[in-house]
Amino acid sequence: MTNKFFLLLTCFFILTNCSLDNDNIIEDQQEYDLEWHLIEVTGGFTGVDLQFDLDTIIGVFDNGGDNNDADNDNILTIVNNNTDDTKEDFLDSGTYSYSITQETNGNYITIEGTEFGEVTFPTTTTLLIDTNELSTGSGADGFVYTFQRVLVPID
């Protein structure tokens, strides 16, 4: 009888010490901007393999809404700090309209009305734009742009 009493008492203390109150939970209230930093360019006729430091070329995609319909203002903002004009470096600084087209064989980005290439995400922190792959078929001598995701805290 004593063992059952202690077992019952132990269960009572365990169950009453658990709390469903969320006051003790610390939530991450920090908000972030998502930037894509160009870190590598490969390919082309001469077979370039260029590396860029973070913050050299930054792209920010603003889809203007919840989806990529033509009704939304999809804006790509580029900050290009590359001073070496001999290096292939994606786009010059500025704002560009863009859209993403989903086809059965992939997703393709169009920038300023011209299809630019296939968009893939090999990892959650990597974005590739392959100008050799278009919705109309494969090409050659294009560039593959590799971007790394960077989260920037909003103050």
Side-chain angles (χ1 to χ4, degrees):
M1 180 73 159
T2 306
N3 288 341
K4 288 182 183 180
F5 175 75
F6 283 118
L7 180 62
L8 183 62
L9 188 61
T10 303
C11 289
F12 174 77
F13 282 120
I14 290 173
L15 292 174
T16 58
N17 284 327
C18 295
S19 173
L20 297 177
D21 185 13
N22 288 335
D23 291 340
N24 295 330
I25 297 174
I26 299 172
E27 294 184 25
D28 183 8
Q29 298 292 325
Q30 182 66 54
E31 293 184 20
Y32 298 91
D33 280 334
L34 175 63
E35 297 179 346
W36 291 97
H37 293 234
L38 182 67
I39 58 170
E40 183 177 39
V41 177
T42 58
F45 181 72
T46 59
V48 301
D49 187 0
L50 304 171
Q51 310 298 314
F52 292 96
D53 293 330
L54 290 178
D55 297 326
T56 303
I57 300 147
I58 303 166
V60 176
F61 293 85
D62 181 4
N63 70 355
D66 293 333
N67 54 34
N68 268 346
D69 292 338
D71 297 338
N72 291 326
D73 296 328
N74 300 319
I75 301 295
L76 168 59
T77 303
I78 299 291
V79 176
N80 189 331
N81 297 311
N82 178 34
T83 57
D84 187 346
D85 291 337
T86 64
K87 291 184 176 181
E88 172 59 37
D89 60 0
F90 194 54
L91 297 169
D92 292 333
S93 291
T95 56
Y96 302 87
S97 63
Y98 80 94
S99 63
I100 303 291
T101 304
Q102 294 180 326
E103 300 286 338
T104 55
N105 58 340
N107 296 316
Y108 302 91
I109 187 167
T110 298
I111 301 173
E112 293 294 314
T114 302
E115 187 175 325
F116 207 74
E118 184 177 22
V119 176
T120 57
F121 295 90
T123 70
T124 58
T125 60
T126 305
L127 162 67
L128 293 181
I129 299 177
D130 186 349
T131 64
N132 291 305
E133 299 296 328
L134 300 174
S135 62
T136 56
S138 296
D141 300 331
F143 294 100
V144 177
Y145 301 96
T146 303
F147 294 85
Q148 179 178 322
R149 183 182 71 181
V150 174
L151 298 175
V152 179
I154 300 172
D155 292 332

